[in-house]
Amino acid sequence: MTAPDVVEVTSAAEAVRARLFAARLTSAPGVPAVERARFLTALTARLRECLGTGGAELTFTLLPSVSDATTLVRVVGRSLAPEPHGTPPWQLAVACPGPPPRDVPRVARYAVSAAGDGASDPDDSTHAEAVLAVDEEIAPVLRRLDETERQLRLHREELHQTNQGVLALHAELDAAARIRRDLLDADRAARGAAEKARRLLTFLGDASAVVTASLDPEDIPRCLPGLLVPEYASQVDLWLFDEPSATNRVHSAAAVTAARLDRPQHAGPRPGALPGVDDIPPSALSPDRPVLSIPLTVRHTLGVLTLTAPGDRFDEDTSVMLIELAQRTAIALDNARRYEQHRDTAETLQRAQLTELPATEGLRLAARYLPATRGLNIGGDWYDAFPHPDGSLLTVVGDVTGHGLRAAVMMGQLRTALRAYAIEDHSPARILTRLHRMLRHQQPHLYATAVIARFRPGDPHVVWAAAGHPPAVVRTPGGSVRVLDTRPGVMLGMPLDHEYEEHTAELPPGSTLVLYTDGLVERRAHGIDPGIELLGRTLAALDEPELDDLDGCAESLLKPLLQGHERDDDVCLLLCRTTPPASVAPRARPGAGSR
């Protein structure tokens, strides 16, 4: 391709023509007016610079895009004056929409020189200078516009950064709000779980206190429905294997499976997925509601507790609590049964060792033994009456410390030892002294109280000695009552040497001597003295016909002292009523048959 012709620019008019050429190149519609003005103003400034210096060569180039959608108008200027080596040419460019004009060459070159021939018309030169001056006047406006745009770009950048910061802040605030909501939800869930756990633990503690409060095996099953219905179960069924009616009842498949496998079973329309519980198909007895069958196992399986759900399912935490409650119920049932067995054994042994009261001339006897009604406090209290080889009659009431089967056994040993010592010596004081020594050496941790009274036929006196025992009470034929409150000796078995003393009290015919254990008169809230006073008042209030009927007299004494109170301890009562020697004393009711 041949090089394009070079157009000489040597005057302002020619410079204007070059500018007009550039204006024509950038006159396509859609060219931003400000960009076009900048381009033309900058070109005018370069043309003036070239006219005033050593000159320059300008190359106008049209560069269309591949699709002819836009055309880049570029002007490259190279100074003709000597310049430092390596100085790059200057260039101006502006993008125009659309293809380049067909009647305009793609490349045009202008040679701008300061040396003109002066042939140009002065008027044309003046007009050309005016045209170029307009561009110079526009240049400051464009510079201010550039500055304004630069400031605007800065403000836009700042605004963009501010917006980005605001958006980031909003994003952080949103994230913080989500985290806060999540934390609040987690806190509410944790508080709900903690409150539910506290409620379940509180119920478990209260229910455990109820089922373990009674030692009656029949009371424990009766209290379960009241504890569990309706909040934790709609129905409660307790299957105890040793109940007489157990074989006649229909039990659910879940209960039978729990009894066979000794594992909790859940039967319902949907699996319960409860911890430690097996899932089986729905029960025919409860097809719509799930049931939970829990074996009651301690040393062996006592039965099965079956609960019908209060709603459509059992909650996991609630099921854990119910299984724990069933375990505690099993322990309470086992303890109650063992207690009952132990109590029955102790009471049977105790009654088997009580004396059949002898018949003696001039003396009538009646006795009562009442086991404790609360706790395992049976055993240890006894009464005895037996004749001495010298013809006297010894009566004894004693109380061994402790309760239960061991106390009943130790009571039997003391009773036997006391009878053995009494054969060799009829003195109540010396008998107690020897018994005290025996306990100190053979049973150093066993203590007991006792009172021994000796009656001789025809002797209107009673000789007695006591070892830490409640005082006897005497009613004379005239109706006066006195307490034989002479200070007793120490308890039997105390770790110190002690010689017991004998005391004598007048006991004319028709008198009644009352011997008893502390269970008759002692109450925890009031001590022993109010009970002794009540015993004296009750004895004084009886008339002679009531006193003659000793069995009825015993009942009359027991009723006001024990009525309305649970007995924490055994009760022994021995009545000794003297009669004139001429009368024949009827045989007293055997002690083993007394209550």
Side-chain angles (χ1 to χ4, degrees), residues 362-364 455-463 474-480 482 484 504-513 544 547-548 576-581:
L363 186 67
R364 297 172 57 207
F455 298 89
R456 289 184 181 278
D459 185 358
H461 297 86
V462 61
V463 179
V474 175
R475 170 176 166 143
T476 64
S480 63
R482 72 180 188 276
L484 303 182
T504 302
E506 186 178 359
L507 204 66
S511 299
T512 303
L513 176 69
E544 288 300 324
L547 291 170
D548 287 337
C576 309
R577 181 168 174 78
T578 59
T579 59

Side-chain angles (χ1 to χ4, degrees), residues 429-437 440 465-468 487-501 503:
R430 289 194 290 273
I431 294 172
L432 288 178
T433 299
R434 298 182 69 180
L435 197 63
H436 173 62
R437 291 173 182 168
R440 284 185 58 202
R487 184 174 181 180
V490 299
M491 292 179 64
L492 299 173
M494 293 293 290
L496 50 88
D497 293 328
H498 186 74
E499 297 284 340
Y500 292 91
E501 299 179 359
H503 309 280

Side-chain angles (χ1 to χ4, degrees), residues 78 81-90:
R78 185 179 302 276
E83 290 183 342
H85 180 72
T87 300
W90 54 266

